[in-house]
Each structure stands twice: as structure tokens, then as C-alpha cells.
Amino acid sequence: KIKMLNQSNNIFTCVTCNVAFDNPETQREHYKADWHRYNLKRKVAELAPISFESFQEKLQQQKVQVVEKNFDFFIIRKNN
């Protein structure tokens, strides 16, 4: 279970993503996640972290763009 840092007194945290965890196993799994890696890159670029929900929305938008791009490519190839 993931909680926002300001809502928890847990000692298992990720200050990069601003979240806290109930146990160290969950914390370790988080460090392997794409969301954490994305926020690490944002931190290096001196940008604020994004929430897990915002990250999920970005992934969904990216999937839609890939499908649209593939569809456009298919139409172009079919018309040639």
C-alpha cells in the first residue's frame, strides 16, 4: 500500500516520489518501478515529481499516440 508522505508516519519512504510504504518489501518493489525511474529523471531535470495517477495517465496517452501513429502509417501504406 502506498501513501502520500505527509499522511503517514512510516519509516519506509521514497522522497523522490513523495510516498510512504507499510513495509520494506513494498518500498524495494517501488524502487524498481517505471514510475519511480520517471520521477528520478524529473528530479535530475529539477522538476517536481508526478503522482502515480498522473504517471498512469501519461502512459495511457502514450499508448493512444502509438496506436494513432500506427493507424496513420497503415493508411499511408495502403494508399501507395
Side-chain angles (χ1 to χ4, degrees):
K1 186 175 177 182
I2 300 173
K3 304 172 189 171
M4 296 307 294
L5 262 182
N6 57 3
Q7 299 173 352
S8 175
N9 292 327
N10 293 0
I11 60 170
F12 308 107
T13 62
C14 173
V15 293
T16 299
C17 298
N18 197 31
V19 292
F21 307 93
D22 291 331
N23 58 62
E25 293 81 18
T26 306
Q27 181 190 38
R28 282 192 291 274
E29 284 301 311
H30 166 76
Y31 289 141
K32 299 174 188 175
D34 291 338
W35 172 45
H36 176 73
R37 283 188 235 125
Y38 183 79
N39 275 332
L40 281 173
K41 291 177 184 178
R42 289 181 61 85
K43 187 175 184 176
V44 169
E46 298 181 2
L47 298 171
I50 63 169
S51 68
F52 182 72
E53 293 78 16
S54 295
F55 180 71
Q56 291 297 96
E57 289 173 13
K58 284 187 172 290
L59 287 179
Q60 188 60 37
Q61 290 170 357
Q62 185 179 20
K63 287 178 186 176
V64 168
Q65 289 174 352
V66 167
V67 168
E68 289 173 349
K69 194 174 197 177
N70 287 340
F71 184 72
D72 290 343
F73 178 76
F74 175 74
I75 290 174
I76 292 168
R77 296 277 297 172
K78 187 169 177 134
N79 289 335
N80 286 339

